[in-house]
């Protein structure tokens, strides 16, 4: 084999080839499933959702009776109070009784508290959906960061290998001389060496970026990114921008959360107003009382009491009126928050829709540019071996190819991340959309269980009476 042919083969070997992904690679869907099962942010928000739903159970306790057992014992010693007797007296007694209290009517106070608690529980359900979408967006970003940075590191290493060979070749041709068409100058050698040193710095920077992305991957997904595959795209992308906007108005979790919060603040106004109305309660006790010491059971007598109480507030220092004004201001704030969430959702959808479109165009253009760059570099390397191209020409072709490869890696990353952000703003980046075959956390069932836990027969008629007029 001649020297020129060996040179051409060595330079062509410096261009990296695309290798098929191994069968045991971790796919993006598998990474999403791992995060869904183990991400601490998501699991913590699920626990918080269960805690918030208990407010619905606690609010309903106002319709239910309270029963308690009391045991009292007393001892007293002191002087007689009569002016005609001297000395002191002692007394002791003990009693035990069961007391029960039931609110019959609260002028809608409990009913409105229940409305507010249920609305906030539903708002928390959509906060959980929002957290889930944020976690999934983080998973997609971390996954694509590792893929991008690994690709960039491969490009930088291939660039360094190619430039190292180019320096060796240029130095040899400068030292050995040759035909006039093949001769190079000291400037060519220094130019190649400068590019090689820059490539070394670029490799170091790419390694640092990859290390940071790997650390982020471990934190979000909880495993090592051993082997990953480039996803073709995310499921559920809309066909048109108009469809995406309509879906966001119906499903965007932050928008629905604000709408439910608005329902809660409206109920808070009625809760504050209901404090001015009458409340009717019934209370009864049953027990025994007698001497504590010495204890004689036959000396204990039964006691039974019953009480029906109606309370009508008249004046309380303007407390209730202030609470009503406060609730109305909070409701106005919630109304503005709904409008802000609506505008933000539409803005996010439009922004990310165009980002996805631009990204797909950039991928197509970048793929073509990389192919052209690979062809140009191979041609320049062959022509350089025949003395038809200068060192500058080869270095320029290599620089163009590496820039195109890095830009293509960035475009693939940005497009998939934009798809995830678009789906999140539409309310479609959820487990049921991305992981249809995986068991899902049922937040609605947790809320329904909290609403029905502790139910007792009197609740239905009393709640119906309490809701009258509201």
């Amino acid at each position: 084999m001649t020297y020129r042919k060996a040179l051409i083969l060595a330079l062509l070997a410096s261009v990296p080839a695309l290798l098929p992904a191994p069968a045991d690679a971790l796919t993006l869907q598998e990474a999403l499933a791992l995060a869904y099962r183990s991400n601490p942010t998501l699991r913590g928000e699920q626990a918080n959702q269960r805690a918030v739903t208990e407010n619905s159970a606690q609010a309903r306790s106002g319709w239910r009776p309270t029963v308690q057992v009391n045991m009292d014992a007393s001892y007293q010693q002191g002087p007689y109070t009569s002016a005609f007797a001297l000395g002191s007296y002692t007394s002791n007694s003990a009693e035990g009784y069961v007391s029960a209290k039931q609110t019959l009517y609260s002028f809608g106070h409990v009913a409105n508290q229940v409305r507010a608690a249920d609305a906030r529980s539903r708002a928390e359900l959509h906060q959980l959906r929002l957290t889930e979408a944020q976690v999934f967006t983080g998973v997609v970003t971390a996954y694509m960061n590792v893929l991008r940075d690994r690709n960039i590191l491969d490009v930088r290493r291939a660039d360094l290998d190619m430039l190292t060979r180019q320096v060796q070749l240029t130095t040899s041709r400068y030292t050995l001389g040759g035909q006039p068409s093949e001769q190079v100058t000291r400037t060519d050698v220094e130019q190649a060496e400068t590019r090689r040193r820059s490539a070394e710095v670029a490799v170091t920077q790419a390694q640092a970026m990859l290390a940071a992305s790997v650390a982020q991957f471990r934190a979000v997904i909880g495993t090592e990114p051993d082997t990953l595959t480039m996803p073709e795209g995310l499921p559920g992308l809309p066909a048109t921008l108009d469809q995406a906007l309509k879906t966001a108005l119906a499903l965007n979790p932050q928008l629905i959360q604000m709408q439910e919060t608005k329902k809660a603040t409206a109920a808070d106004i009625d809760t504050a107003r209901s404090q001015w109305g009458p409340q009717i309660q019934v209370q009864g006790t049953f027990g025994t009382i007698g001497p504590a010491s010495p204890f004689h059971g036959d000396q204990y007598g039964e006691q039974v009491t019953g009480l029906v109480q109606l309370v009508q507030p008249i004046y309380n220092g303007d407390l209730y009126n202030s609470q009503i004004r406060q609730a109305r201001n909070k409701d106005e704030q919630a109304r503005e928050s709904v409008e802000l969430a609506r505008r933000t959702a539409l803005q996010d959808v439009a922004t990310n829709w165009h980002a996805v479109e631009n990204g797909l165009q950039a991928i197509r253009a970048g793929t073509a540019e990389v192919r052209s760059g690979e062809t140009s570099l191979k041609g320049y390397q062959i022509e350089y071996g025949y003395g038809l191209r200068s060192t500058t020409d080869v270095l320029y072709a290599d620089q163009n190819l590496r820039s195109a490869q890095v830009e293509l890696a960035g475009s693939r990353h940005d497009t998939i991340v934009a798809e995830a952000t678009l789906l999140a703003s539409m309310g479609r980046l959820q487990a049921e959309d991305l992981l249809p075959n995986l068991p899902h956390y049922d937040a609605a069932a947790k809320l329904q269980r909290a609403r029905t836990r502790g139910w007792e027969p009197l609740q239905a008629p009393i709640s119906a009476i309490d809701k009258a007029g509201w």
Side-chain angles (χ1 to χ4, degrees):
M1 181 182 293
T2 64
Y3 170 76
R4 181 180 287 113
K5 289 183 178 179
L7 168 65
I8 294 173
L9 291 176
L11 290 175
L12 291 178
S14 66
V15 180
L18 296 178
L19 300 177
D24 59 347
L26 179 69
T27 66
L28 177 57
Q29 188 178 48
E30 291 170 342
L32 290 167
L34 284 173
Y36 185 69
R37 289 192 295 263
S38 64
N39 183 271
T41 300
L42 181 56
R43 291 176 65 87
E45 187 58 35
Q46 289 172 351
N48 185 59
Q49 187 262 341
R50 294 192 297 272
V52 172
T53 58
E54 292 299 327
N55 291 332
S56 293
Q58 294 169 17
R60 283 169 169 78
S61 66
W63 287 329
R64 301 166 184 169
T66 59
V67 181
Q68 62 184 18
V69 176
N70 294 71
M71 303 291 292
D72 300 325
S74 64
Y75 173 83
Q76 184 177 6
Q77 180 178 358
Y80 286 111
T81 58
S82 173
F84 301 99
L86 300 176
S88 62
Y89 75 95
T90 60
S91 68
N92 66 87
S93 64
E95 63 177 336
Y97 59 92
V98 178
S99 65
K101 182 168 63 174
Q102 172 69 61
T103 299
L104 299 179
Y105 182 63
S106 69
F107 196 62
H109 188 72
V110 175
N112 291 311
Q113 286 180 324
V114 170
R115 281 176 51 210
D118 285 352
R120 288 190 169 90
S121 294
R122 292 191 298 269
E124 177 57 30
L125 186 151
H126 294 287
Q127 173 61 41
L128 176 58
R129 291 182 60 236
L130 178 61
T131 301
E132 186 175 301
Q134 291 171 343
V135 168
F136 283 158
T137 302
V139 170
V140 173
T141 302
Y143 191 95
M144 295 305 300
N145 284 354
V146 173
L147 280 176
R148 178 200 60 195
D149 294 343
R150 281 178 175 174
N151 196 341
I152 292 176
L153 180 58
D154 291 340
V155 170
R156 298 306 186 194
R157 284 172 173 168
D159 188 31
L160 178 60
D161 291 341
M162 182 270 173
L163 291 173
T164 299
R165 294 188 182 95
Q166 186 67 38
V167 169
Q168 294 172 351
L169 172 62
T170 306
T171 303
S172 298
R173 291 179 64 172
Y174 174 73
T175 303
L176 299 177
Q179 298 296 326
S181 61
E182 299 178 356
Q183 292 179 359
V184 298
T185 65
R186 185 64 187 174
T187 302
D188 294 320
V189 175
E190 292 299 330
Q191 186 180 25
E193 181 64 28
T194 300
R195 283 290 314 280
R196 187 189 67 80
R197 292 194 183 98
S198 298
E200 290 178 343
V201 174
V203 168
T204 302
Q205 293 174 341
Q207 289 173 336
M209 289 179 59
L210 177 58
S213 296
V214 169
Q216 180 190 20
F217 188 99
R218 286 195 298 262
V220 174
I221 301 173
T223 187
E224 293 291 335
D226 295 330
T227 304
L228 309 181
T229 61
M230 178 63 68
E232 296 182 358
L234 297 180
L237 291 173
T240 63
L241 176 58
D242 185 62
Q243 179 184 350
L245 294 172
K246 290 180 180 178
T247 303
L249 291 177
L251 297 178
N252 181 273
Q254 189 167 19
L255 174 58
I256 302 177
Q257 180 192 15
M258 291 298 101
Q259 290 171 343
E260 293 293 346
T261 301
K262 172 64 177 66
K263 294 178 183 178
T265 56
D268 289 340
I269 296 176
D270 292 337
T271 301
R273 291 174 53 224
S274 65
Q275 296 180 108
W276 279 117
Q279 294 196 15
I280 303 174
Q281 294 181 341
V282 60
Q283 182 174 353
T285 61
F286 173 79
T288 61
I289 186 171
S293 178
F295 176 79
H296 297 289
D298 56 355
Q299 297 182 9
Y300 277 72
E302 295 181 353
Q303 58 176 0
V304 179
T305 62
L307 174 67
V308 177
Q309 185 180 41
L310 184 147
V311 178
Q312 173 59 62
I314 301 298
Y315 178 74
N316 62 356
D318 202 43
L319 173 63
Y320 293 166
N321 290 335
S322 175
Q323 291 174 340
I324 293 171
R325 294 192 299 269
Q326 184 182 54
R328 285 173 175 164
N329 289 327
K330 291 290 185 181
D331 185 62
E332 182 179 352
Q333 181 188 27
R335 184 184 302 109
E336 298 301 329
S337 296
V338 170
E339 177 61 18
L340 175 61
R342 188 188 70 84
R343 295 184 184 184
T344 301
L346 296 179
Q347 177 188 2
D348 290 345
V349 167
T351 300
N352 290 291
W353 170 268
H354 293 298
V356 171
E357 282 193 328
N358 293 337
L360 293 174
Q361 292 177 1
I363 290 175
R364 289 192 292 268
T367 302
E369 186 178 1
V370 167
R371 290 198 194 101
S372 176
E374 290 173 344
T375 302
S376 298
L377 178 58
K378 290 177 182 178
Y380 276 35
Q381 288 171 332
I382 293 173
E383 293 170 1
Y384 181 79
Y386 287 99
L388 301 177
R389 291 289 179 180
S390 67
T391 302
T392 302
D393 292 334
V394 175
L395 296 179
Y396 179 74
D398 173 71
Q399 184 178 15
N400 287 344
L401 173 60
R402 306 312 172 186
S403 297
Q405 290 173 330
V406 170
E407 289 178 2
L408 178 58
S411 296
R412 287 171 174 166
H413 166 277
D414 296 345
T415 302
I416 298 296
V417 172
E419 289 180 359
T421 310
L422 172 61
L423 290 173
S425 60
M426 292 169 53
R428 297 298 302 273
L429 196 70
Q430 308 297 149
E432 56 266 24
D433 302 311
L434 303 176
L435 307 169
N437 299 323
L438 194 70
H440 302 145
Y441 177 85
D442 195 343
K446 300 295 189 295
L447 173 56
Q448 183 61 24
R449 187 175 300 115
R451 294 177 61 183
T452 56
R453 184 180 290 122
W455 183 89
E456 54 87 30
L458 288 177
Q459 178 177 323
I462 291 178
S463 63
I465 295 173
D466 200 36
K467 292 176 184 178
W470 290 94

